[in-house]
Amino acid sequence: VLVTNTMSSTSSILSIEEFLSRECGVCPHCADLIAANDDIIDGANSNDDGIQPPKKDSHCSVCFGLMTPSYRKNSIMPKIMDSLRPYCRPRSLSKNSSEHSRDDGNLDQELNSPVTINPKDGNYLTKDSPTVNIPWLIAVRAQAAIAASQCFLRDKTNDNSTSSLSLRSAEEVYNQIKGSVRSSIRSALDSLSNMDQDGVTNDGDQDIDEYGVRLSSTLIEEECGFLGIHLLFLPPSLAEMKSNFNNVENSNDEIALLVIPKTLQSLLQRNKQQLHQIHSRALNPRKRFRGNDPTLKQGGDPRCNLEFRVRSMFADQLKKFDESNTNQNETDRNHSEVKRFKLADLRNNSSEAIVGGNSKEVARNTVGLNTWSTIISWLQRSTVSEWLAEEVSNGDPTQLATWFRTLNESKAVSLCSTHAATWRLPFCIRGTYTKSRRDVSQTPFFVPSNQEDHLSQKMVRKGISSIEEEICTPLSLLGCGGISNQNNENVWSTAFGEGGDKAGATVYGMCKFHASGREDMDVRMLLPPPSVVKLAEKTNIKITARPFVCEVFDAHRLPCKIDLDRVVKAVNCSDSIDDKTPPTKVNGKDLEKDKNGWPRTLAEPNQNYGRNPIGVGVSYPLGIVPSSSFSGLQSETEEKVKFYACVCWTDVFIASDDELIGKLGCAKLGSEEDINNQSPPYKYPLEIHQSTPLRVLHRRSSDVRSRFIMGLSAKRIDDHWFRLRLSTSAGTYVKEFVHGDCGRTLPSIQSMLGGRTDITELDCEGMAI
């Protein structure tokens, strides 16, 4: 915007600043921005030419105080400190506590201790922190200040000798304020640690004790476990402004004129239904997950969740404000007509008063206070941009300038409200697990209580526990000091319980379990037996238990090595980090009869981690890994060779081992040729074709897939029972390979034996990586 002035360029800038500060209530910081003045001394530190530094509690009719140092110090930083405190708890407070219990003394010490962002504890700030969301109402006020400046300079013109002066546009002022707020807060946060602006420590390589966290360059580059900060600023509510005028009766439209000009009010009035729908959708988001599963789900974003909580709180406050005035309104409704009190300075800019007449007609044409407060507080960029375009094309700034000057005189300027969110970015913990029981699922397993009534809302649990719960709970509590719930949609939703009064709630903070494939609940996950270990040593193949990655969202802290060792001991229920379950063989036998008289296999030596009575164990050591380990988890599953052992029954009479292995064309179980014997009778690797199994057809697409049985060995138990040990390519359905799945898997053990065959017990005995 080019304007002219007879005064010199420098004096014109100073005159504009003085005019905006004294006549319009604009702080010197915003006055500099509006005047496009990048070289002048900061108004807060200068008394030249009559411009006074702002008071510590000064308000600004443009930025609502955001640019004043006192507001940053007294309003913004305390909010950030409160949100940072759970993540910056001194690790020393829990060094001697194996369960991180907080006694009163430690809690008092934590609350009274200063907040520091210590990289030795793994506390780094993300490079883009803090992200800032300031109200678009600031752009509206900036445009009004620009209009006032234009009128001021126009009135100063007395002759034809002019010089040009450039004023920033409203969007430029908005972006400059947003950038200034962010950079000043970032500088204050950097002073709490020894990090520079790029998030790199300035101390060089320091010695980190046993309780410290040392991140690799890859983890630092990915910002694994870094702290993110988001700030949300809202303008003062209309209910607050209306309470400042207790001695006069103002209509809702006139109260709105204390915050926005009439032209913008008219634009919003035209689009009020659409804007109200946007707000309603924000308060009632779509359900992210279908079904009635009562387990908590991870999802959402801390920034969106903060906005959701503030919107909900804002709506509740307005509802209470309306309810407090209900009785008074009921009393006055039958004794007075609808009146509109207009502030003297706003009379020329508002619509004509409606005095008397039909009150119902007035109500239909007037937006309620709650609706105005909602619309103004959550102004959309598209709406403001449309209004700015109309104002620029209008060409006459007089009306907007008059409204802005009288705005300051009406004392309708207040401070923004500040809302802060701090969260820890996700990081990954990798390890392997074993499972020695057949009543433990990989993740919590729920089914409808009434299988015939699919509309039933009640769900019942299958199994006594799950691998996810046995691993994630100790990792969250002992390793990470707990999971924060302050960034969930509802702060009472936690990762260890129901989401308030609604099961299956979505939370942000959670330890999320991912495994390289999954086994059925009735399938054990074991380490390889000695015969498979010998083969692996000869062929240089590494066989492990099932790999897993725990993706931890919003942990209170990054775990150090001692924390992870403590987790291993807790999961394995052992005092030693490398303890394994002793063999369950009795008198050298590897089989026993169950209550039905069916054969049941017993564990070989060292096939399980730890001594957990639930049967879940994890390997040592656990470690923090890059996100690529998680992203490659599924691709690794599709390429692995897996090893299985099973107990089978057939109605075909089996006379001897030779007859069995002759029909199957395999090796004898227990020999050194278990997996890879290429002698003439041995017909493996064997290609099989599997249609999608009937038991999973309801949730997976129907298709025919080629798989390979890499090796097979067998051993007769009695006339109708036998054992198998086999290695397969990834994705093979072993149960269906045994019983044929009604002919949907060919060839199968059943087709090779020539009679009905079924599997009663299946174990996964490791994966080759």
Side-chain angles (χ1 to χ4, degrees):
V1 180
L2 293 178
V3 296
T4 58
N5 190 5
T6 56
M7 307 172 67
S8 66
S9 177
T10 303
S11 62
S12 297
I13 294 176
L14 294 176
S15 297
I16 292 175
E17 290 179 342
E18 185 175 8
F19 165 74
L20 290 175
S21 297
R22 291 187 175 183
E23 301 296 329
C24 302
V26 180
C27 69
H29 308 277
C30 293
D32 287 345
L33 294 177
I34 293 171
N37 180 21
D38 297 325
D39 300 324
I40 194 168
I41 300 176
D42 190 349
N45 301 318
S46 173
N47 291 324
D48 296 338
D49 299 293
I51 299 180
Q52 299 296 325
K55 299 179 181 179
K56 292 184 178 181
D57 58 348
S58 63
H59 298 179
C60 176
S61 55
V62 172
C63 70
F64 297 99
L66 287 179
M67 295 289 286
T68 59
S70 60
Y71 183 78
R72 292 195 293 266
K73 178 181 179 181
N74 300 326
S75 298
I76 301 178
M77 293 307 296
K79 292 284 188 179
I80 296 177
M81 295 299 101
D82 289 342
S83 64
L84 271 173
R85 194 174 299 278
Y87 304 93
C88 299
R89 178 181 176 225
R91 194 181 295 266
S92 59
L93 294 181
S94 58
K95 282 187 178 182
N96 298 324
S97 174
S98 61
E99 297 183 359
H100 299 280
S101 59
R102 298 189 183 186
D103 56 30
D104 294 337
N106 283 350
L107 183 60
D108 292 340
Q109 181 181 350
E110 175 187 352
L111 295 176
N112 296 327
S113 62
V115 176
T116 58
I117 305 175
N118 190 356
K120 291 183 179 180
D121 289 332
N123 289 332
Y124 298 82
L125 289 179
T126 60
K127 291 183 179 179
D128 61 347
S129 288
T131 52
V132 177
N133 187 354
I134 65 176
W136 275 98
L137 186 58
I138 289 179
V140 175
R141 295 293 185 84
Q143 180 63 32
I146 292 171
S149 300
Q150 292 173 338
C151 291
F152 169 73
L153 293 174
R154 182 186 59 191
D155 295 340
K156 283 282 187 178
T157 304
N158 296 321
D159 52 43
N160 294 328
S161 59
T162 62
S163 61
S164 296
L165 180 69
S166 177
L167 300 176
R168 281 193 175 97
S169 66
E171 290 202 17
E172 288 177 333
V173 174
Y174 175 88
N175 292 328
Q176 288 282 343
I177 292 175
K178 185 175 182 178
S180 177
V181 170
R182 183 200 175 276
S183 60
S184 62
I185 296 174
R186 178 68 192 210
S187 299
L189 291 172
D190 288 338
S191 66
L192 299 177
S193 66
N194 57 347
M195 292 186 293
D196 58 22
Q197 291 286 343
D198 295 327
V200 180
T201 58
N202 294 323
D203 292 344
D205 294 331
Q206 290 187 347
D207 293 333
I208 297 181
D209 62 18
E210 58 184 356
Y211 291 95
V213 177
R214 184 184 294 276
L215 299 179
S216 66
S217 58
T218 303
L219 295 175
I220 292 178
E221 182 179 355
E222 293 182 359
E223 296 188 337
C224 292
F226 279 30
L227 294 175
I229 299 176
H230 179 65
L231 294 172
L232 174 64
F233 300 99
L234 290 180
S237 66
L238 297 188
E240 176 185 355
M241 291 189 176
K242 188 171 184 178
S243 63
N244 294 331
F245 295 90
N246 296 324
N247 297 326
V248 291
E249 295 181 1
N250 298 332
S251 72
N252 296 328
D253 288 353
E254 290 166 344
I255 293 296
L257 285 175
L258 298 173
V259 182
I260 57 176
K262 181 62 180 178
T263 51
L264 179 58
Q265 184 182 9
S266 300
L267 176 63
L268 296 177
Q269 187 100 7
R270 295 196 301 267
N271 301 325
K272 63 179 180 180
Q273 184 174 359
Q274 178 183 358
L275 296 173
H276 183 68
Q277 290 176 352
I278 293 174
H279 180 67
S280 298
R281 285 196 297 267
L283 287 177
N284 300 280
R286 290 175 54 188
K287 186 177 181 181
R288 295 187 180 92
F289 300 93
R290 295 182 179 180
N292 301 321
D293 187 352
T295 58
L296 296 177
K297 311 296 189 302
Q298 195 284 323
D301 181 86
R303 302 174 185 87
C304 298
N305 291 345
L306 174 65
E307 180 177 330
F308 175 82
R309 294 195 304 272
V310 174
R311 279 181 184 265
S312 301
M313 178 185 66
F314 191 76
D316 291 340
Q317 289 177 348
L318 291 177
K319 183 178 180 181
K320 292 178 181 179
F321 179 82
D322 278 353
E323 291 175 351
S324 65
N325 294 309
T326 300
N327 296 332
Q328 182 65 31
N329 293 337
E330 290 290 340
T331 303
D332 297 342
R333 184 174 299 171
N334 298 325
H335 298 85
S336 63
E337 297 179 331
V338 176
K339 298 180 180 180
R340 287 201 175 187
F341 176 83
K342 295 185 177 182
L343 298 175
D345 297 319
L346 297 174
R347 182 174 291 113
N348 294 331
N349 302 300
S350 59
S351 60
E352 294 183 359
I354 302 177
V355 180
N358 190 339
S359 60
K360 294 183 179 180
E361 183 67 24
V362 175
R364 281 198 298 269
N365 295 327
T366 305
V367 180
L369 179 62
N370 278 2
T371 305
W372 274 129
S373 297
T374 300
I375 292 175
I376 294 174
S377 297
W378 305 99
L379 274 177
Q380 302 291 319
R381 177 176 183 175
S382 57
T383 304
V384 175
S385 298
E386 180 182 353
W387 177 79
L388 289 175
E390 292 179 359
E391 287 296 322
V392 172
S393 62
N394 181 31
D396 184 11
T398 305
Q399 184 179 9
L400 186 60
T402 304
W403 171 83
F404 187 64
R405 292 187 63 179
T406 56
L407 178 70
N408 182 50
E409 298 175 5
S410 66
K411 308 298 181 183
V413 178
S414 186
L415 293 174
C416 278
S417 60
T418 305
H419 308 273
T422 298
W423 67 96
R424 190 179 296 280
L425 269 62
F427 58 90
C428 297
I429 305 292
R430 181 165 181 142
T432 60
Y433 75 84
T434 59
K435 185 190 75 168
S436 61
R437 293 184 56 149
R438 303 188 188 278
D439 54 0
V440 177
S441 58
Q442 189 178 83
T443 57
F445 186 22
F446 290 86
V447 297
S449 58
N450 188 348
Q451 295 291 343
E452 297 180 358
D453 183 10
H454 295 285
L455 298 178
S456 174
Q457 298 294 318
K458 186 176 181 180
M459 307 288 286
V460 295
R461 178 165 189 158
K462 296 291 186 180
I464 61 171
S465 185
S466 67
I467 297 169
E468 176 181 322
E469 292 167 296
E470 294 298 315
I471 295 177
C472 290
T473 301
L475 177 59
S476 300
L477 295 177
L478 300 181
C480 304
I483 302 295
S484 174
N485 68 343
Q486 69 180 24
N487 293 299
N488 301 337
E489 283 187 357
N490 301 306
V491 294
W492 57 82
S493 299
T494 67
F496 303 107
E498 301 296 342
D501 57 352
K502 185 169 68 173
T506 302
V507 299
Y508 177 74
M510 175 180 279
C511 183
K512 199 173 181 180
F513 184 82
H514 308 274
S516 180
R518 69 167 57 232
E519 66 279 344
D520 294 340
M521 184 171 67
D522 60 349
V523 176
R524 294 188 301 182
M525 181 67 228
L526 305 174
L527 292 170
S531 59
V532 177
V533 173
K534 290 180 181 178
L535 175 68
E537 292 175 351
K538 290 183 178 180
T539 56
N540 294 324
I541 298 175
K542 184 179 180 181
I543 302 177
T544 69
R546 190 177 297 277
F548 72 89
V549 168
C550 286
E551 191 178 14
V552 187
F553 290 81
D554 211 9
H556 279 156
R557 68 161 181 262
L558 276 173
C560 63
K561 182 180 181 301
I562 287 184
D563 291 329
L564 295 178
D565 292 348
R566 187 180 298 151
V567 172
V568 173
K569 294 178 182 179
V571 174
N572 294 344
C573 298
S574 173
D575 294 332
S576 174
I577 56 178
D578 56 355
D579 188 20
K580 293 184 179 179
T581 305
T584 58
K585 289 186 175 183
V586 180
N587 297 325
K589 296 182 179 181
D590 55 3
L591 288 173
E592 67 175 8
K593 297 288 181 103
D594 63 10
K595 62 181 180 180
N596 298 318
W598 294 0
R600 186 180 69 173
T601 57
L602 301 175
E604 298 267 3
N606 299 326
Q607 280 199 273
N608 306 315
Y609 293 124
R611 302 171 182 269
N612 191 334
I614 303 298
V616 178
V618 295
S619 61
Y620 170 82
L622 300 177
I624 303 178
V625 295
S627 59
S628 57
S629 296
F630 163 66
S631 59
L633 200 63
Q634 189 60 35
S635 61
E636 292 174 3
T637 304
E638 299 172 356
E639 300 173 356
K640 286 184 172 67
V641 174
K642 301 180 181 180
F643 300 86
Y644 295 94
C646 57
V647 175
C648 305
W649 173 90
T650 181
D651 61 2
V652 177
F653 180 80
I654 303 174
S656 64
D657 283 337
D658 292 339
E659 180 183 351
L660 177 63
I661 64 178
K663 289 184 176 181
L664 299 179
C666 63
K668 184 177 180 180
L669 189 148
S671 68
E672 293 182 357
E673 302 169 335
D674 269 355
I675 305 301
N676 194 19
N677 188 344
Q678 298 294 334
S679 58
Y682 198 83
K683 56 183 179 183
Y684 298 87
L686 174 67
E687 184 178 7
I688 64 174
H689 300 279
Q690 289 191 311
S691 298
T692 304
L694 294 173
R695 61 188 172 96
V696 299
L697 191 58
H698 65 283
R699 66 175 186 269
R700 295 190 180 177
S701 61
S702 179
D703 197 3
V704 179
R705 301 171 179 87
S706 295
R707 298 291 185 260
F708 289 89
I709 307 300
M710 309 302 297
L712 182 69
S713 59
K715 182 178 181 180
R716 176 182 177 274
I717 298 175
D718 58 26
D719 293 345
H720 294 280
W721 292 87
F722 60 94
R723 294 179 63 190
L724 295 178
R725 180 164 286 150
L726 63 160
S727 58
T728 71
S729 60
T732 303
Y733 292 99
V734 177
K735 293 179 179 179
E736 282 67 27
F737 170 65
V738 173
H739 58 65
D741 196 28
C742 300
R744 297 171 63 84
T745 295
L746 290 173
S748 65
I749 299 296
Q750 176 170 291
S751 66
M752 287 186 279
L753 291 179
R756 181 184 173 187
T757 306
D758 207 347
I759 183 171
T760 62
E761 187 180 87
L762 178 62
D763 295 330
C764 181
E765 295 185 328
M767 307 170 67
I769 59 175

